[in-house]
Amino acid sequence: MKFKLNLDQHGNFDPIPPGEYTAYLYNVKATTFSSGNQGYKLTFKIAEGPHQGRQVFDNLVFVDSAHWKIAQFWKAMTNDTGEVEIDTEAIPSFIGNKVGLRVDVESTDQGTKRNVVKSMFYIGGKASVEQDIFSKMLAGDTEPVNITEENVPF
């Protein structure tokens, strides 16, 4: 396989500029945080524009003081309103859902800068399968493909 890459655009881990972005939920990982609380680590991928494919990370922690964030996430994924029952086990089923992110840049205790999700909002729709597969290929997240003479149609 051959393809062209702009090496100045890949491998850059500087934060993306503050602003609003269309993204899609790329990965959800159940975790126990250092506080001992349960939740999910979320990975979003920017879906379009000059920062397409860049990842933004966020956490959902299942504690009363974070119910506002869980509500905001749920509404951004479903566009539900009013009183709803949240099934935290359903959260991984939202992978691929498009969402609006308001992103900012903050300094860490180590003196580096990182993106933070300030809020999210409903956009609707799903990421295209091609977009997701290509981004996984670039990241090396796919299984190797074994091509033999039997697979080649010519």
Side-chain angles (χ1 to χ4, degrees):
M1 175 190 311
K2 291 184 181 182
F3 54 91
K4 292 184 179 187
L5 288 177
N6 181 340
L7 299 179
D8 296 331
Q9 291 180 343
H10 297 282
N12 178 359
F13 297 106
D14 292 337
I16 61 175
E20 286 189 4
Y21 295 93
T22 298
Y24 62 96
L25 186 60
Y26 179 71
N27 194 24
V28 175
K29 183 176 181 179
T31 191
T32 301
F33 294 98
S34 59
S35 61
N37 296 314
Q38 301 293 308
Y40 287 114
K41 291 184 177 195
L42 308 174
T43 305
F44 295 93
K45 280 208 176 185
I46 304 301
E48 53 195 45
H51 303 289
Q52 182 176 354
R54 292 288 306 273
Q55 296 183 4
V56 178
F57 305 98
D58 202 10
N59 296 322
L60 284 181
V61 185
F62 303 142
V63 294
D64 289 345
S65 61
H67 279 184
W68 68 270
K69 190 169 190 176
I70 296 166
Q72 187 180 81
F73 172 84
W74 195 268
K75 187 172 182 178
M77 291 292 150
T78 65
N79 204 28
D80 287 345
T81 59
E83 188 172 325
V84 297
E85 182 173 280
I86 303 293
D87 179 2
T88 60
E89 292 183 17
I91 289 173
S93 71
F94 295 137
I95 289 176
N97 283 20
K98 283 192 175 178
V99 63
L101 297 180
R102 288 184 186 93
V103 175
D104 203 355
V105 177
E106 291 184 354
S107 296
T108 67
D109 293 338
Q110 294 79 26
T112 59
K113 299 208 179 282
R114 68 180 182 105
N115 285 121
V116 290
V117 176
K118 288 297 193 178
S119 63
M120 54 188 81
F121 53 93
Y122 180 79
I123 288 181
K126 289 271 198 187
S128 71
V129 173
E130 295 82 10
Q131 180 181 26
D132 193 47
I133 290 172
F134 186 68
S135 64
K136 284 184 177 186
M137 284 173 40
L138 290 177
D141 291 345
T142 59
E143 294 292 320
V145 176
N146 186 15
I147 299 175
T148 66
E149 292 292 325
E150 296 165 358
N151 307 94
V152 181
F154 46 86

